[in-house]
Amino acid sequence: MSWAAHQFEVYAVQAHLPKKMIGKVSFWAIFLGDFTPDFLSKFWVYGFTINGTRYGAEIPHQWHRGFPGMGFTHTLFFGLLIAAGFWLWKRNRAFVIGYALGYAAHALTDINDSVGVMLLFPFTTLNWTSETWAYAATVDGGKYLDGAAYYSSLGLVMDVFWLIVVCFSWRVLTREHWRTRVVPADARIWAFCGKYLPERGLLALYRATFFYGVCRMISWSAWAHLVARPVIDGVERVGYPFDLSWNGPYWLAARSLPHVNPWLAYPVALALLAGVYVAAIRLWEPMGRAESERRSRSGTQDASGVHDSA
Amino acid sequence: MANVGRVTTDPEAISPDLDFRGSRRLTGAEEWVWYLVAAVTYIVAGIWHKWLLNWIIGPVWLVVMICVGPPLVDRVRAALRGRRR
């Protein structure tokens, strides 16, 4: 799985919205969409222990990304299904499009670990993985081994890559961007939060996911390489050794599920991402018209202050 | 700019130093310093207490630091100034 990358990609999506959606797609929807897959499945991956009894998945990677299991939570199909459900319920394109984009970002970037995701679920339950780094969540190792492995492998490079993407789009973190692009799309939420927080608090809330991603990346890396004292091949070491080779690190057996040829994973994932963006662009205006129609039928106003049906 | 009810984010309508609630705005170097303080404290705490590194505590840590820190420092400064007089 990706760690801090999932925090950074929220801002990457926010910074690279199609032109006509700028200032109109809900940032919180992007965040929620990106957050949903692991929120639904990860609690049981690591499990928890009460009175010496462990409660959790017997085969974590099967539960997390496989079928049978909760692997469907990491599929475009499921994400778009939830988005469609939100549309039928609320007819709010700002939320639905944001949620779909955030969900797609999470599901598609998770092809990078050795377990991958079921990109073409429900048509096939085969996983798609580029095997970039080893999936390391195990019953014995838990979160600590998972974190150590991720931050000793190309997983760290993935986090740094997404951090650089956001840094190149640094304006997405500015007060100006928040005021002009983020707040108008979620005016009600920010107004509610504004009852309790000053502006500097609201801005911090907006930047908080990025902050959390940067800090967890540095904390886990520092712990894994400076504080931890693992025993590898019978030798106690100062920190887990780095291994930036493909499907590393070498000191851990990479978990895997039945999957297609890894060379296919990236092309298919990128094609699906392009498909999601094209679909979002094409549906934007029709959704806007449907939203306006529903609003005029129910006699309600656009609370975001953005009166735009197209 | 969004203008919902009494909440406005229009910087022209309010003082550059105060926000819509009359609270001090953080800008420039001071803003950077507070974010850095929040990050360094959170990172150091997180290295030895992994349970802090989650999507609830991380954001709460930052928001509390940014909301509470500056007025606290202002009060301490004012108190020290008062003592010197």
Side-chain angles (χ1 to χ4, degrees):
Chain A
M1 62 203 85
S2 299
W3 285 50
H6 286 321
Q7 279 79 64
F8 301 146
E9 65 201 13
V10 172
Y11 296 88
V13 171
Q14 172 69 29
H16 295 95
L17 290 170
K19 262 196 186 153
K20 58 183 166 185
M21 299 182 197
I22 293 172
K24 297 169 190 169
V25 169
S26 165
F27 168 78
W28 290 119
I30 299 171
F31 167 80
L32 268 172
D34 195 277
F35 185 67
T36 299
D38 279 347
F39 178 73
L40 291 177
S41 58
K42 224 165 162 188
F43 70 99
W44 205 242
V45 171
Y46 298 129
F48 45 91
T49 304
I50 300 175
N51 289 332
T53 304
R54 181 186 175 266
Y55 299 90
E58 278 182 29
I59 308 173
H61 61 285
Q62 172 70 38
W63 163 269
H64 193 190
R65 305 282 187 71
F67 194 84
M70 290 293 276
F72 65 88
T73 59
H74 283 68
T75 63
L76 260 188
F77 170 77
F78 188 66
L80 295 178
L81 202 65
I82 298 179
F86 275 127
W87 174 252
L88 290 172
W89 177 34
K90 284 290 181 182
R91 290 282 198 274
N92 186 325
R93 69 173 178 180
F95 184 90
V96 169
I97 295 294
Y99 189 88
L101 293 177
Y103 207 107
H106 186 126
L108 297 177
T109 52
D110 269 352
I111 61 165
N112 283 284
D113 62 40
S114 58
V115 172
V117 299
M118 297 181 287
L119 277 184
L120 297 184
F121 181 90
F123 305 107
T124 169
T125 55
L126 276 176
N127 280 51
W128 298 66
T129 164
S130 58
E131 296 183 329
T132 314
W133 62 80
Y135 180 103
T138 60
V139 171
D140 297 329
K143 195 168 191 176
Y144 281 72
L145 186 64
D146 194 12
Y150 183 79
Y151 285 110
S152 302
S153 66
L154 286 174
L156 172 60
V157 174
M158 175 68 139
D159 276 7
V160 171
F161 168 77
W162 281 103
L163 176 60
I164 291 172
V165 167
V166 177
C167 288
F168 268 101
S169 313
W170 58 272
R171 284 187 173 81
V172 75
L173 294 167
T174 60
R175 178 180 282 106
E176 190 59 29
H177 181 97
W178 170 74
R179 270 201 197 120
T180 58
R181 309 276 169 92
V182 175
V183 171
D186 278 317
R188 257 199 234 167
I189 294 175
W190 291 108
F192 173 78
C193 294
K195 291 183 196 169
Y196 306 100
L197 295 173
E199 188 193 83
R200 63 179 187 271
L202 297 179
L203 196 46
L205 190 60
Y206 167 63
R207 293 164 171 167
T209 301
F210 177 79
F211 168 86
Y212 168 53
V214 171
C215 292
R216 80 187 290 213
M217 184 179 81
I218 297 173
S219 265
W220 274 102
S221 296
W223 170 80
H225 301 294
L226 300 174
V227 176
R229 293 293 182 267
V231 174
I232 297 173
D233 297 331
V235 177
E236 186 179 298
R237 299 173 189 238
V238 176
Y240 286 86
F242 279 103
D243 177 14
L244 300 185
S245 63
W246 212 257
N247 214 14
Y250 69 88
W251 41 265
L252 182 88
R255 295 309 190 255
S256 174
L257 288 172
H259 59 267
V260 303
N261 187 322
W263 286 100
L264 296 174
Y266 260 103
V268 172
L270 288 170
L272 288 171
L273 181 66
V276 170
Y277 264 83
V278 167
I281 290 168
R282 292 252 169 97
L283 289 171
W284 184 252
E285 271 101 1
M287 288 172 82
R289 285 192 290 275
E291 196 175 332
S292 295
E293 263 174 56
R294 193 198 224 197
R295 236 183 263 125
S296 54
R297 257 187 271 129
S298 64
T300 53
Q301 264 203 321
D302 175 8
S304 72
V306 179
H307 297 281
D308 190 350
S309 61
Chain B
M1 303 276 183
N3 198 335
V4 180
R6 283 181 292 170
V7 175
T8 178
T9 58
D10 183 352
E12 304 299 318
I14 42 187
S15 154
D17 299 323
L18 301 176
D19 66 17
F20 59 93
R21 288 163 60 105
S23 293
R24 192 156 74 75
R25 195 173 262 136
L26 284 184
T27 54
E30 192 189 9
E31 189 177 30
W32 275 99
V33 166
W34 278 109
Y35 276 83
L36 201 61
V37 167
V40 169
T41 53
Y42 188 55
I43 288 167
V44 171
I47 289 171
W48 278 278
H49 302 283
K50 294 287 168 312
W51 61 271
L52 291 171
L53 297 174
N54 64 62
W55 61 273
I56 297 177
I57 295 182
V60 167
W61 188 286
L62 175 68
V63 173
V64 167
M65 188 74 76
I66 296 298
C67 287
V68 172
L72 206 61
V73 166
D74 289 347
R75 277 199 191 177
V76 168
R77 273 192 193 141
L80 290 173
R81 250 183 261 130
R83 271 195 207 163
R84 277 186 210 136
R85 285 187 205 136

